[in-house]
Amino acid sequence: MELLITGAAGFIGSALTGALRAAGHGVTAVDDLSVVSPRPRPDGLQVRDVRSLTTDDLAGCDTVVHLAAHKSVPASFEVGGFEHNVAVDRHVIHTFTASTARRLLLASSCEVYGQQTGPLAESAPHAPRSPYAAGKAATEHLAGIYRPRLGEGRQLGIVRFFNTFGAHEDPDAVVPAFLDAIAADRPLTIEGDGSQARDLTHIDDAVTMLTRILNAPELPPVVNCGSGRAVPVRDLADAVIRAAGRGTVTHTAARPNEIASFTADMTLFARLYGPIEHRPLDQALADTLQQRSLTWVPAGATR
């Protein structure tokens, strides 16, 4: 299979690129490197704005996986935080539609569900509570508008990621923030009382799910990529402290528009692709902490 992956130097993109190449697939890796990170970059990376892609770039490509995005929910409240992702997503959808590529898989987010009681099935309505989430919801609607314009045999699918974590994740998410605090001997900072719960999925499990989706003959219109279990942030902090054998916790004010819980309903994924046996959280955190300590030096930490 010949693929083009946008956001290929990102956390999920770099892991997926490596896994697909290791399996013998050809991958054209594209990223604008707007996020500065010590994460290893894929070989042969094309450093360019995704909005510069043309139909010529997709010639000979079977599948496009569009992962590029500015993913910070708080930063999305700044001017342009909504517009950038939507503009990039529309360009990719439009270019794919005009190309000869057969399939496009778009990255969306559990954030589109907003404040709803879980588990969250793909049929649940959009209820975004941030510009980032509204942008992802808009992209999903754009996909629905463009999908009927595709010719026979062409597919446009969406995968909704929940909280994916791993050793090479940037520190603007809760798991790496906790791990970096441990490494720098800082307290783990919890926003609010820590009762907010998140569906945590290790990157290896997420890549397994993505490869199953890509190896199947049909892309689903939309499917969740999560673990099906929600962990309160205060319990996550306790688990990180257990994995590290040390650590303390401090609290700050709750985040505005904080969502109480995200839990993926994985029924559809299991029916289409088979169940995933997710590793226990404590084991996944211990492995992540060990791997991260070998490659990542957070602010304030020393070797």
Side-chain angles (χ1 to χ4, degrees):
M1 189 190 323
E2 292 295 323
L3 303 97
L4 184 146
I5 297 181
T6 72
F11 172 49
I12 296 176
S14 59
L16 180 62
T17 297
L20 290 171
R21 286 177 171 172
H25 300 293
V27 178
T28 298
V30 177
D31 200 292
D32 67 359
L33 297 183
S34 58
V35 175
V36 178
S37 173
R39 183 173 39 246
R41 300 173 185 173
D43 292 338
L45 181 70
Q46 293 187 17
V47 181
R48 59 189 293 190
D49 191 317
V50 173
R51 289 168 293 185
S52 71
L53 289 172
T54 69
T55 54
D56 289 341
D57 295 306
L58 274 56
C61 174
D62 176 81
T63 300
V64 178
V65 182
H66 177 44
L67 301 173
H70 291 174
K71 69 180 186 68
S72 171
V73 170
S76 74
F77 284 88
E78 303 298 328
V79 174
F82 169 85
E83 293 83 356
H84 174 83
N85 282 349
V86 173
V88 172
D89 294 350
R90 181 173 183 182
H91 178 82
V92 171
I93 294 171
H94 181 81
T95 303
F96 164 74
T97 302
S99 77
T100 58
R102 185 171 65 91
R103 304 188 302 175
L104 169 61
L105 183 63
L106 293 168
S108 186
S109 168
C110 62
E111 293 282 345
V112 301
Y113 292 115
Q115 183 62 61
Q116 302 186 54
T117 56
L120 298 162
E122 291 83 353
S123 58
H126 289 160
R129 298 187 68 178
S130 69
Y132 170 79
K136 287 299 185 183
T139 293
E140 291 196 14
H141 286 294
L142 281 172
I145 292 168
Y146 275 82
R147 195 175 281 115
R149 301 170 66 90
L150 300 175
E152 184 177 354
R154 302 186 72 208
Q155 303 167 27
L156 198 169
I158 294 165
V159 58
R160 289 179 183 151
F161 290 102
F162 282 68
N163 291 72
T164 308
F165 72 94
H168 291 144
E169 187 178 12
D170 291 305
D172 58 348
V174 62
V175 173
F178 283 177
L179 298 180
D180 289 355
I182 287 286
D185 292 321
R186 301 190 308 264
L188 281 63
T189 301
I190 295 176
E191 296 175 325
D193 63 5
S195 62
Q196 65 272 30
R198 296 294 179 262
D199 186 306
L200 302 172
T201 309
H202 189 268
I203 183 64
D204 291 350
D205 296 333
V207 168
T208 296
M209 287 186 272
L210 286 171
T211 53
R212 286 193 191 178
I213 292 169
L214 292 169
N215 286 328
E218 298 285 337
L219 291 183
V222 61
V223 67
N224 287 335
C225 181
S227 69
R229 62 191 182 200
V231 179
V233 170
R234 62 192 174 210
D235 291 352
L236 171 63
D238 290 341
V240 169
I241 290 170
R242 285 196 303 272
R246 68 184 193 279
T248 60
V249 169
T250 187
H251 291 261
T252 61
R255 180 182 298 185
N257 284 359
E258 182 70 276
I259 294 171
S261 180
F262 285 119
T263 309
D265 184 329
M266 296 301 294
T267 304
L268 176 62
F269 183 94
R271 179 167 61 80
L272 294 175
Y273 309 108
I276 294 289
E277 186 174 345
H278 294 270
R279 70 180 69 187
L281 179 62
D282 280 24
Q283 176 191 337
L285 288 172
D287 291 347
T288 299
L289 183 63
Q290 180 181 25
Q291 294 168 18
R292 193 172 180 85
S293 69
L294 299 175
T295 60
W296 204 284
V297 182
T302 59
R303 286 291 187 201

